[in-house]
């Protein structure tokens, strides 16, 4: 290892180092199989309870964020979320950097199957350079807060011309203790068929990786695209926090 690389590794904040280790421990063969089959996969215990609580506690700290969105004002649902500002919290930045190279091969394989020419570089830094060159310079990782009666309508997080086709949501709260209801929901619309719904059970610290927009499905006459949207069902009681890790930046 060169001195430069060794210095860079030593300079990594502790949260980023932990993120790299946690991502490396995931069974990525299982994740790829689930993504191909259903368009989503669970990463169990990706984040520790202490890290979950620390991230959720950031919500009142306005200096950490670039903007706040009240969903009811825009017809997005009910509840609110905040987009992190750069520099991202080290744990969020570390997860974004560590997850991307695990997902880029899936994204490239899916685009090839769907006849899409776009391919993604190996490193997230290189991909962000592509986004920023196109004017997509605003960070997109976000922290969401839901209370009783809140929900998130089915949607897609696109933000501009450059869209990485997979993203990750990490549940920071514990179902049954901190909140009830609030299930993560994914719907898939196949051509000339009714929509299929997938409800993904999560515990505190679990993450779900899922298709942002569309994914390939093998049919009897070849591969076709299916369209996906995601959301959160109504919170029945308590408070629910989630971190969203989106890999493309916004225009």
């Amino acid at each position: 290892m060169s001195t430069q690389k060794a210095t860079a590794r030593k300079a990594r904040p502790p949260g980023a180092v932990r993120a790299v280790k946690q991502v490396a421990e995931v069974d990525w063969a299982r994740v790829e199989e689930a993504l191909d089959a259903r368009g989503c996969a669970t990463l169990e215990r990706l984040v520790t309870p202490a890290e979950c609580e620390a991230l959720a506690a950031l919500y009142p700290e306005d200096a950490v964020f670039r903007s706040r969105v009240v969903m009811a004002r825009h017809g997005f649902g009910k509840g609110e979320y905040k987009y992190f500002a750069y520099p991202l919290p080290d744990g969020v930045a570390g997860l974004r950097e560590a997850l991307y190279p695990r997902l880029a091969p899936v994204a490239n394989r899916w685009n090839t199957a769907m006849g899409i020419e776009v391919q993604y570089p190996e490193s997230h830094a290189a991909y962000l350079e592509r986004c920023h060159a196109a004017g997509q310079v605003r960070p997109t990782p976000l922290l969401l807060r839901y209370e009783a009666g809140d929900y998130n309508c089915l949607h897609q997080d696109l933000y501009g011309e450059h869209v990485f086709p997979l993203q990750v949501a990490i549940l920071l709260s514990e179902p049954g203790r901190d909140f009830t209801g609030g299930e993560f929901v994914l719907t898939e619309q196949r051509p000339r068929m009714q929509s299929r719904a997938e409800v993904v059970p999560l515990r505190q610290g679990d993450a779900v990786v899922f298709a942002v927009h569309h994914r390939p499905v093998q049919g009897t006459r070849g591969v076709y695209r299916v369209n996906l949207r995601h959301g959160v069902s109504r919170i029945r009681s308590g408070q629910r926090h989630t971190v969203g890790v989106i890999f493309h930046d916004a225009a």
Side-chain angles (χ1 to χ4, degrees), residues 12 19 21 43-44 49 57 65 69 74 79 98 107 110 147 158 186 201 212 221-222 224 230:
R12 276 184 169 175
K21 181 177 183 296
L43 314 180
E44 296 178 354
F65 303 97
V69 176
H74 306 277
W110 279 9
E147 297 181 337
L158 302 179
L186 190 73
V212 174
R221 298 183 180 180
Y224 59 94
H230 66 277

Side-chain angles (χ1 to χ4, degrees), residues 86-153:
Y86 280 134
L88 302 175
D90 64 339
V92 176
L95 285 169
R96 201 184 192 202
E97 179 184 350
L99 286 164
Y100 173 89
R102 302 285 184 166
L103 298 175
V106 179
N108 286 333
R109 179 164 53 80
W110 279 9
N111 275 9
T112 298
M114 292 185 291
I116 298 172
E117 294 183 357
V118 175
Q119 294 286 286
Y120 302 95
E122 293 182 3
S123 75
H124 188 244
Y127 180 61
L128 283 185
E129 287 181 5
R130 182 185 299 180
C131 291
H132 294 175
Q136 292 180 215
V137 297
R138 295 185 297 164
T140 49
L142 67 163
L143 181 58
L144 303 99
R145 185 183 72 186
Y146 303 91
E147 297 181 337
D150 292 350
Y151 61 94
N152 196 345
C153 294

Side-chain angles (χ1 to χ4, degrees), residues 117-241:
E117 294 183 357
V118 175
Q119 294 286 286
Y120 302 95
E122 293 182 3
S123 75
H124 188 244
Y127 180 61
L128 283 185
E129 287 181 5
R130 182 185 299 180
C131 291
H132 294 175
Q136 292 180 215
V137 297
R138 295 185 297 164
T140 49
L142 67 163
L143 181 58
L144 303 99
R145 185 183 72 186
Y146 303 91
E147 297 181 337
D150 292 350
Y151 61 94
N152 196 345
C153 294
L154 295 169
H155 66 284
Q156 299 168 327
D157 297 310
L158 302 179
Y159 300 120
E161 174 189 358
H162 294 280
V163 176
F164 189 74
L166 292 155
Q167 70 187 69
V168 177
I170 306 164
L171 182 61
L172 305 180
S173 308
E174 176 63 23
R177 183 193 69 192
D178 300 326
F179 70 96
T180 60
E183 295 86 359
F184 178 88
V185 180
L186 190 73
T187 64
E188 184 175 88
Q189 178 60 58
R190 302 189 180 196
R192 298 177 297 281
M193 296 175 66
Q194 293 183 337
S195 295
R196 180 184 70 87
E198 181 88 17
V199 176
V200 182
L202 299 170
R203 303 298 300 267
Q204 183 182 45
D206 290 350
V208 55
V209 53
F210 56 97
V212 174
H213 185 196
H214 47 235
R215 72 178 185 94
V217 171
Q218 181 66 50
T220 56
R221 298 183 180 180
V223 174
Y224 59 94
R225 300 184 196 184
V226 297
N227 194 54
L228 296 101
R229 296 180 184 275
H230 66 277
V232 173
S233 68
R234 180 170 59 89
I235 308 296
R236 299 184 182 277
S237 65
Q239 192 173 80
R240 179 188 191 273
H241 286 89

